[in-house]
Amino acid sequence: MLLHTFTGSFGKFISEIKPQQLSSVVLHRSKRMVLDSIGVGLIGSTTDVFELALQHSDDISSVYGRKNAKLSPTLAAFVNGVATHSMDFDDTWHPATHPSGAVLPAVLALGDMMPTNRKPSGLDFLLAFNVGIEIQGRLMRFSNEAHNIPKRFHPPTVVGTMGSAAACARLLSLDHSQCSHALAIAASLSGAPMANAATQSKPLHIANAARFGLEAALLASRGLKASPQVLDTVPGVAGFNAFYEDYVSRPLGSPSDDGHMFLLEEQDMAFKRFPAHLGMHWVADAAASVHKHLVGFGHSTFSPAQIQDIQLRVPKSKYINRPFPESEHEARHSFQFNACSALLDGEVTVQSFTPAAMSRPELLALLSRVHVEHPDDNPANFNRMYGEVQVTLLGGDILRGRCDTFYGHWRNPLTDDSLRKKFRNNAGMVLSSEKIDRVIDVVDQLDRIENCSSLLSELQ
């Protein structure tokens, strides 16, 4: 009976999908995601919020950047999830979510936990990772609401938990019924409000998605059962549709029926060049182009006193409209801050969010001159939005910059060289250059190595 439900079709897919169904495109793109996610996790392990999350102790699974730190598998998934999202530097997909951070910490912790004679191969590891990404993408396509910048639930806490559960169920080789129950258990552990965006608690969203997804798969493996129709639409009883008001469920085809094309094949990933909400990359690039004009008058720098007014034309989204951010987390979610930082410096970087950079008098002066407009043709949607910056100088001259697709967006993806440069910069905060080279090599060969423990051993 379970197989004839939408939920059952997802369980069957997770259980039966084979590594041979990962195309070369999907393998390449998912290895880029793994490398980037490890890098942002490693630099994230240097943050205050990571230190707060690390106040646990156990002795099984490894933690990013800490050679002697061992936690229980679920806590390791949690702490590494905190590291991944602590700076908002992790990848973003369409429809909008952060897919890797919810899955990679969970499968790494689970791989660490598995006995030596049952360690998954690199290809099996990548298959589980891709299953976790795929389930997130499929669920988000059941809702038009999910295509837009969120207002209610933070997507990784909803689809991310389900993706983590699916990935771990696949890595544990659960049968289709257990996989369905893992998803249903995960649904009971899902959901966090957008009110905690731009706070120290936002990284907990990714962390809990990784942790609770792993927990759900482990519970299902031990025989715990949950609703066989959690993904179905049942009149009078809310299931997964509790999270999306316009949710319309559809079955997931069997992988044995004429193969399966992963969504990652057709929808590439966005990788961030600096650690902030994805929407900030449009205004930063637009403002950086204005900066070039400002310094193009024969000066390497300019005085903020030259600027009379700054107009931003951005989508309407309350939680990223922050005129005077008071913390690094608020600054990472502020159109105004990122536009002014790029106007002043020509770019936004990791250092832009340090206390010294945030408190500069010239930056605060620029912030006081910002006005925001929300044009009707600029929707809160990462696939359709744009960022426009207009600067009026004291003499009346007007300079404009506009960004429709920033470098790093899925329509204009980072090259492999750019992605590796980002990884080296991030991982270099924690690892030696020799170890960084080894991680890059291991990830590059991940589909060809017999035991994924070689990846795990390089991350401390």
Side-chain angles (χ1 to χ4, degrees):
M1 185 68 181
L2 185 63
L3 286 177
H4 300 298
T5 65
F6 294 152
T7 309
S9 73
F10 273 69
K12 181 177 173 64
F13 170 83
I14 296 166
S15 175
E16 295 184 0
I17 192 75
K18 299 292 190 291
Q20 294 77 9
Q21 290 168 286
L22 296 172
S23 71
S24 59
V25 171
V26 170
L27 283 171
H28 177 67
R29 289 179 174 177
S30 58
K31 284 190 284 188
R32 282 163 54 90
M33 293 165 69
V34 169
L35 186 68
D36 185 70
S37 189
I38 289 170
V40 299
L42 287 167
I43 192 172
S45 72
T46 66
T47 61
D48 292 342
V49 66
F50 177 82
E51 289 292 345
L52 291 172
L54 194 57
Q55 305 307 307
H56 301 285
S57 61
D58 215 320
D59 59 356
I60 299 174
S61 295
S62 305
V63 174
Y64 284 147
R66 304 300 169 96
K67 185 174 183 180
N68 298 316
K70 291 281 188 177
L71 301 176
S72 69
T74 52
L75 282 178
F78 173 81
V79 168
N80 286 339
V82 168
T84 301
H85 200 58
S86 63
M87 298 171 70
D88 226 297
F89 213 174
D90 45 332
D91 58 22
T92 305
W93 211 15
H94 179 72
T97 194
H98 305 289
S100 296
V103 173
L104 187 61
V107 291
L108 284 172
L110 181 56
D112 227 359
M113 165 189 171
M114 296 171 82
T116 303
N117 62 349
R118 287 191 56 210
K119 294 286 186 195
S121 69
L123 186 57
D124 287 335
F125 182 91
L126 276 174
L127 177 64
F129 177 80
N130 275 287
V131 164
I133 305 304
E134 180 76 357
I135 295 304
Q136 294 180 72
R138 294 288 170 180
L139 290 174
M140 297 204 80
R141 280 161 176 75
F142 290 171
S143 164
N144 288 325
E145 175 191 346
H147 285 68
N148 299 323
I149 297 175
K151 297 178 181 178
R152 298 169 64 237
F153 294 99
H154 193 205
T157 71
V158 179
V159 296
T161 313
M162 306 293 279
S164 171
C168 293
R170 175 65 256 180
L171 203 60
L172 288 166
S173 301
L174 302 189
D175 64 33
H176 62 79
S177 177
Q178 291 172 312
C179 290
S180 298
H181 287 305
L183 292 177
I185 295 165
S188 283
L189 302 172
S190 297
M194 288 303 301
N196 272 329
T199 73
Q200 280 191 315
S201 288
K202 191 187 180 203
L204 306 187
H205 294 182
I206 293 281
N208 278 330
R211 172 190 191 174
F212 291 147
L214 171 55
E215 218 159 70
L218 291 173
L219 288 168
S221 75
R222 296 166 190 152
L224 188 72
K225 292 180 171 57
S227 169
Q229 294 181 298
V230 74
L231 299 181
D232 296 65
T233 302
V234 180
V237 180
F240 192 76
N241 59 350
F243 298 113
Y244 296 104
E245 293 178 338
D246 62 349
Y247 173 90
V248 179
S249 54
R250 293 187 294 274
L252 185 55
S254 170
S256 59
D257 297 340
D258 300 321
H260 176 84
M261 178 178 284
F262 282 79
L263 291 173
L264 189 57
E265 180 107 28
E266 59 188 59
Q267 175 64 65
D268 204 352
M269 198 66 51
F271 296 104
K272 300 174 181 179
R273 302 194 320 273
F274 59 88
H277 182 276
L278 194 73
M280 305 304 106
H281 289 65
W282 278 271
V283 292
D285 278 14
S289 69
V290 175
H291 171 88
K292 289 180 181 178
H293 291 298
L294 285 168
V295 301
F297 295 129
H299 305 284
S300 59
T301 60
F302 71 94
S303 169
Q306 298 172 250
I307 294 178
Q308 177 178 305
D309 180 76
I310 302 167
Q311 195 79 38
L312 306 184
R313 296 186 179 97
V314 294
K316 187 175 184 179
S317 183
K318 186 174 178 60
Y319 83 101
I320 45 180
N321 182 359
R322 298 177 183 272
F324 298 99
E326 297 180 357
S327 70
E328 63 165 294
H329 298 283
E330 290 188 2
R332 299 183 199 281
H333 296 75
S334 167
F335 280 130
Q336 295 89 335
F337 177 87
N338 286 273
C340 289
S341 293
L343 274 176
L344 194 60
D345 304 322
E347 62 179 345
V348 181
T349 68
V350 171
Q351 287 71 38
S352 300
F353 303 94
T354 61
M358 289 182 60
S359 61
R360 289 177 291 172
E362 56 269 38
L363 178 65
L364 299 177
L366 289 180
L367 284 171
S368 69
R369 292 166 200 162
V370 176
H371 301 89
V372 175
E373 290 182 0
H374 306 298
D376 291 339
D377 67 344
N378 197 357
N381 181 303
F382 292 143
N383 211 36
R384 297 163 54 204
M385 68 173 282
Y386 62 85
E388 196 168 283
V389 177
Q390 177 178 298
V391 171
T392 304
L393 303 181
L394 285 179
D397 289 333
I398 294 176
L399 303 174
R400 293 186 180 91
R402 174 170 168 139
C403 176
D404 293 298
T405 304
F406 64 87
Y407 181 46
H409 190 273
W410 44 81
R411 289 194 299 268
N412 187 20
L414 296 184
T415 65
D416 288 346
D417 285 344
S418 292
L419 194 76
R420 289 192 191 101
K421 181 179 179 181
K422 175 187 173 182
F423 176 79
R424 289 182 186 280
N425 289 339
N426 288 340
M429 300 292 291
V430 177
L431 302 182
S432 67
S433 58
E434 294 81 7
K435 185 158 277 198
I436 289 170
D437 288 338
R438 290 201 298 272
V439 173
I440 292 172
D441 288 343
V442 169
V443 173
D444 187 55
Q445 301 173 40
L446 197 51
D447 55 321
R448 301 184 293 277
I449 63 175
E450 292 183 3
N451 189 320
C452 72
S453 59
S454 58
L455 173 62
L456 301 169
S457 64
E458 298 292 350
L459 301 183
Q460 288 82 56

